[in-house]
Amino acid sequence: MSAITAPAPTGAPAPNENRDRPGMSRGRKLGLTLGGLWLAGLVFFIAVLGFKSHKAPTVASGVFTPTNEFKLDTWFAVGPVDFNKGVLYVIIAAAITLGVMFYVAGRLRQRPGRMQAAVEMFYGLTSGMARENLDDPMARKYFPLIATLFVFILVTNLIGYIPLPVNSIDKFTLFGAHLPSFQIFAADTNVAFPLILSLLVFVLFSWERFKHNHYNPIAALKSLMPSGLSGPIAPLIFVIEILSYFLRLISLTVRLWANLLAGHMLIAFMGGELGVLVGDPWVQWLLFPFGIAIYLFEAVLIAALQAFIFSVLTAIYLGDAVTTH
Amino acid sequence: MPSAAVHIPVASSSGSFLITPNVGLMVWVLVIFGICWFVLRKSVFPQINAMLDRRAKAISDEIDSAEQLRQESQQVLEEYRQRLAEARTQADEIVTRARQAAEAHQKEAVETARGERERLLEQTRRDVEAETRRAIDEIRREVADLTVLATEKVTRKTLTDADQRRLVEEALADLDFSVLSGGEG
């Protein structure tokens, strides 16, 4: 019986061996490199510092609270008018909104550039919202409100993802100077911002309902009821409809406010704050990629989505106000 | 870069500020939003709307113009096709006419050539006959002269020319010269 022996490996690979293996794309290489660095950093922090908590004194003593960065610290006051970072963000948002809109309006061309195309797209979107939910006279009347709400909230949301030195409560020292810490803050993380806009919308659509019912408050309330409803269930439905009507104010407010506040808190926690609170640097390192992912998700999707939802609900509520059930 | 967090112990709050609306901010937002709303409504949105209307009108005009051009080009194409068809018909007619003319001309040329040939043949025939007749006359005269001469030598008598001629003519009249003229007498 003879043994069949395979030829011994030559050691050096054949010249075309690498050519047959599919090469990694640049993105894959970058991803693998970053993943490797992340794992290496995790191992480094655990190896050097261990699992032992290294809480900062201010954290241990409870002076540092994550929600403090959303507190509106009054910077100065002119009579009864306070000025704080919320006001600053609202002013910046208004300046950017008006600046961009006037810039585009002053350079309108038959063949639009990128910015004009973007503004026209926004105009078409909000114009569509108005036309789909309102009749022509109402659409003409309220389109500016709907469009302004959309662009103003959008800009407010977007600048809320740019780190600015506005945290005057937690300062840092640079060359002896106490400077406000950088933070990502949005004016609509304070409930005042969405609440006043919701109140404005609520008052307007309530007024339109009142007017549509010939200034008769009873008829206006009755118009909330679905048509063809009678019997003992009618009072129950009436109560539900009244509650639902006033809950519009709450839902409009809370939807925008809670989304933005929760988003910013998630970014802050994942971006390192949780690690500071538990006092473990490896936790910071572990969660940092998730912080980036949530940041991108919020900035790319949530900012525009919340602006869209607020303005489209405004259009729907205004349209509902002048619709007879 | 020397940097260190400095925490001011003013913020250890319960967090209730998060759900308590800041009335000052509400007023600011209302005022600033109101200004934006008013300014955009008065100055920006009408311009954008006018621009979009102009573009819509321009597009509509372009579509109308394109439709008109299409119709015109269709009309021109129809005319062209019609003229092409007419030209083809005319060309066919011209070719037919030319062919007919050429055939007629050829026929005429053949007829003319044939007539000319006939005429030439006739002429030739007449010339040959005349020449034959002249040659016969010449031969007759020669024969008559030779006969007179021979007679004189035989008879030693001189006849008058008239007699001699008469005698020869009578003799020759009996001779058949038709052989010389190809059978024609």
Side-chain angles (χ1 to χ4, degrees):
Chain A
M1 225 175 118
S2 63
I4 299 171
T5 54
T10 53
N16 59 349
E17 193 174 321
N18 287 332
R19 204 169 47 204
D20 294 336
R21 188 186 300 162
M24 281 193 294
S25 68
R26 186 178 292 178
R28 192 179 165 83
K29 281 179 188 170
L30 186 67
L32 283 174
T33 308
L34 290 175
L37 281 174
W38 179 63
L39 275 175
L42 200 60
V43 171
F44 171 79
F45 281 116
I46 292 171
V48 173
L49 299 171
F51 290 102
K52 192 181 173 186
S53 180
H54 301 80
K55 280 188 182 177
T58 47
V59 176
S61 64
V63 171
F64 175 76
T65 309
T67 53
N68 278 353
E69 62 182 288
F70 299 102
K71 190 167 189 163
L72 297 180
D73 184 27
T74 302
W75 291 344
F76 60 88
V78 181
V81 181
D82 285 356
F83 194 91
N84 51 44
K85 63 185 173 190
V87 178
L88 177 69
Y89 269 77
V90 173
I91 291 172
I92 293 173
I96 292 175
T97 301
L98 293 179
V100 169
M101 297 303 275
F102 269 103
Y103 177 83
V104 172
R107 289 167 176 74
L108 287 171
R109 298 283 179 274
Q110 198 77 279
R111 293 181 180 180
R114 285 181 185 174
M115 191 174 276
Q116 185 181 333
V119 169
E120 284 179 7
M121 197 171 71
F122 137 75
Y123 190 93
L125 178 73
T126 48
S127 173
M129 279 181 211
R131 277 186 279 105
E132 282 169 18
N133 294 292
L134 304 169
D135 56 15
D136 277 351
M138 283 281 283
R140 273 197 298 277
K141 185 176 177 183
Y142 283 109
F143 160 71
L145 170 71
I146 292 164
T148 309
L149 277 172
F150 181 82
V151 68
F152 190 70
I153 295 172
L154 178 66
V155 173
T156 304
N157 289 349
L158 287 177
I159 60 173
Y161 296 106
I162 303 168
L164 293 176
V166 291
N167 189 354
S168 54
I169 294 174
D170 293 309
K171 293 188 176 179
F172 71 98
T173 308
L174 182 66
F175 301 117
H178 296 296
L179 301 172
S181 299
F182 280 83
Q183 73 162 119
I184 50 167
F185 177 79
D188 38 10
T189 56
N190 190 288
V191 72
F193 183 100
L195 179 61
I196 188 64
L197 294 181
S198 303
L199 268 172
L200 174 70
V201 172
F202 185 82
V203 167
L204 286 172
F205 70 68
S206 296
W207 169 253
E208 287 297 336
R209 182 175 292 276
F210 190 53
K211 198 167 74 172
H212 183 69
N213 288 285
H214 311 292
Y215 304 102
N216 183 346
I218 304 297
L221 285 174
K222 275 186 178 173
S223 72
L224 293 171
M225 291 286 283
S227 60
L229 200 66
S230 60
I233 201 168
L236 182 63
I237 297 293
F238 181 72
V239 172
I240 291 171
E241 287 294 337
I242 293 287
L243 275 175
S244 162
Y245 187 75
F246 283 96
L247 275 174
R248 288 176 182 181
L249 174 64
I250 308 296
S251 68
L252 263 183
T253 305
V254 172
R255 188 181 295 107
L256 179 59
W257 167 66
N259 266 290
L260 268 290
L261 180 64
H264 278 71
M265 289 185 90
L266 261 178
I267 294 167
F269 272 115
M270 295 296 172
E273 212 164 51
L274 196 61
V276 172
L277 287 175
V278 299
D280 281 333
W282 68 269
V283 174
Q284 284 176 290
W285 189 258
L286 176 75
L287 296 178
F288 189 65
F290 298 100
I292 294 173
I294 292 170
Y295 177 89
L296 293 174
F297 175 73
E298 291 281 331
V300 172
L301 186 66
I302 299 298
L305 191 64
Q306 288 306 320
F308 174 80
I309 289 172
F310 197 98
S311 46
V312 82
L313 281 177
T314 300
I316 289 170
Y317 292 157
L318 283 167
D320 181 63
V322 294
T323 305
T324 307
H325 291 290
Chain B
M1 195 168 68
S3 69
V6 175
H7 299 289
I8 302 168
V10 296
S12 54
S13 60
S14 63
S16 63
F17 66 88
L18 283 174
I19 55 169
T20 308
N22 184 304
V23 179
L25 183 60
M26 287 172 76
V27 175
W28 275 103
V29 172
L30 187 62
V31 170
I32 292 172
F33 178 78
I35 292 169
C36 285
W37 180 13
F38 179 78
V39 171
L40 292 179
R41 185 166 69 94
K42 286 288 175 195
S43 303
V44 174
F45 292 149
Q47 284 189 53
I48 296 174
N49 195 40
M51 175 71 223
L52 292 177
D53 283 350
R54 276 202 304 276
R55 186 181 301 149
K57 187 176 179 308
I59 290 169
S60 175
D61 290 348
E62 287 293 323
I63 290 170
D64 290 347
S65 172
E67 178 63 22
Q68 193 180 345
L69 280 175
R70 196 187 65 79
Q71 285 177 354
E72 284 178 10
S73 61
Q74 189 68 28
Q75 196 177 344
V76 168
L77 185 64
E78 285 301 321
E79 283 179 17
Y80 164 77
R81 281 179 178 157
Q82 194 177 347
R83 285 184 185 180
L84 190 65
E86 285 174 9
R88 275 184 183 152
T89 309
Q90 285 178 358
D92 288 346
E93 281 177 8
I94 289 168
V95 169
T96 307
R97 222 178 295 146
R99 189 177 291 130
Q100 286 173 350
E103 284 173 356
H105 186 71
Q106 187 185 9
K107 202 170 178 181
E108 188 183 336
V110 168
E111 289 298 322
T112 307
R114 187 176 291 138
E116 184 67 15
R117 191 191 66 182
E118 292 296 327
R119 191 184 62 78
L120 285 173
L121 279 174
E122 188 60 29
Q123 181 68 34
T124 306
R125 195 177 295 120
R126 278 199 301 271
D127 289 350
V128 167
E129 282 177 3
E131 196 62 29
T132 305
R133 211 172 290 123
R134 192 183 59 76
I136 290 169
D137 289 346
E138 187 70 22
I139 290 168
R140 273 181 180 161
R141 269 194 305 274
E142 286 291 325
V143 169
D145 289 345
L146 287 172
T147 306
V148 170
L149 193 61
T151 307
E152 276 179 0
K153 282 184 178 175
V154 172
T155 62
R156 299 291 183 192
K157 181 185 172 187
T158 303
L159 294 175
T160 64
D161 282 345
D163 291 337
Q164 287 178 356
R165 183 71 57 193
R166 186 182 45 80
L167 288 172
V168 170
E169 288 293 335
E170 285 173 2
L172 287 175
D174 295 333
L175 292 175
D176 184 11
F177 289 96
S178 62
V179 180
L180 294 173
S181 63
E184 290 180 6

